[in-house]
Amino acid sequence: MRLHHGKHHQTYVTNLNAAESSLEAAKGDVKKAIALQAAIKFNGGGHLNHSLFWANLAPSAEPLDPASALGKRVEAEYGSVEKLIAKFNAALAGIQGSGWGWLVRDAETGSLKITTTANQDPITKDVVLIGIDAWEHAYYLQYENAKVKYFENIWKVIDWKTANQRYEKA
Ligand code: MN3
């Protein structure tokens, strides 16, 4: 996690800052500005996604309180937190290549939704409650090819208190 935070996340921040400087320098040059969009999306997404991920994690993570607003919603929509996690992990396992798994509150309907994004594409409209990094760099040092084990174990440090706070704020 230290390597992930200090090296991987840092690289997205460094490259986003460089792209933003270039964009500022390209002021008025539409062609140059367009050429920078991919770097801004990738590195900006990487920064946003990891920032959500770190705040999701805690060494003494709190389980979902069934009496909380999110606890009630999870029970109504999924039956139990275990069933939600099973669906979330199936979605994570289905990602081909690099990407992220998300539990979001749908901006239009208010319902919970499990979704995935490829690469560092961020969630821009719905409210993220939980994000899980499914890139190889997130698990390979510890789990090697056993990514399903990583998906199972990550829930031991997913802090539902943060998720509930995000849900209430939304
Ligand atoms: Mn990562």
Side-chain angles (χ1 to χ4, degrees):
M1 284 301 180
R2 281 183 200 282
L3 183 81
H4 193 173
H5 182 266
K7 301 289 184 186
H8 289 279
H9 186 176
Q10 182 61 51
T11 302
Y12 296 114
V13 172
T14 302
N15 291 340
L16 174 62
N17 286 340
E20 283 185 333
S21 296
S22 302
L23 186 64
E24 217 171 293
K27 214 172 171 185
D29 188 329
V30 179
K31 202 192 267 183
K32 276 186 185 163
I34 290 170
L36 289 163
Q37 294 308 304
I40 289 169
K41 185 182 179 185
F42 183 71
N43 294 294
H47 174 53
L48 289 174
N49 294 343
H50 286 89
S51 298
L52 288 161
F53 181 54
W54 305 129
N56 265 158
L57 303 175
S60 52
E62 288 196 21
L64 179 60
D65 176 3
S68 66
L70 181 57
K72 288 175 188 163
R73 191 82 202 195
V74 166
E75 205 195 317
E77 290 193 33
Y78 291 90
S80 70
V81 70
E82 290 77 18
K83 284 179 186 164
L84 182 154
I85 289 171
K87 282 190 179 163
F88 199 123
N89 283 359
L92 283 168
I95 295 172
Q96 296 181 333
S98 299
W100 288 77
W102 307 101
L103 175 67
V104 302
R105 181 185 183 277
D106 187 288
E108 275 169 24
T109 65
S111 299
L112 301 179
K113 193 169 73 185
I114 292 166
T115 187
T116 61
T117 56
N119 303 312
Q120 292 295 358
D121 293 359
I123 298 285
T124 51
K125 206 166 129 212
D126 300 329
V127 177
V128 171
L129 308 178
I130 290 173
I132 295 181
D133 192 339
W135 279 57
E136 272 186 357
H137 71 229
Y139 63 84
Y140 206 84
L141 280 180
Q142 193 176 351
Y143 292 95
E144 297 184 335
N145 60 313
K147 70 173 176 181
V148 169
K149 200 78 200 156
Y150 159 69
F151 297 150
E152 280 170 27
N153 283 340
I154 192 74
W155 293 98
K156 292 176 187 165
V157 288
I158 291 288
D159 190 28
W160 283 95
K161 198 175 147 190
T162 306
N164 185 56
Q165 283 166 353
R166 288 172 176 168
Y167 180 75
E168 285 186 329
K169 209 176 149 200

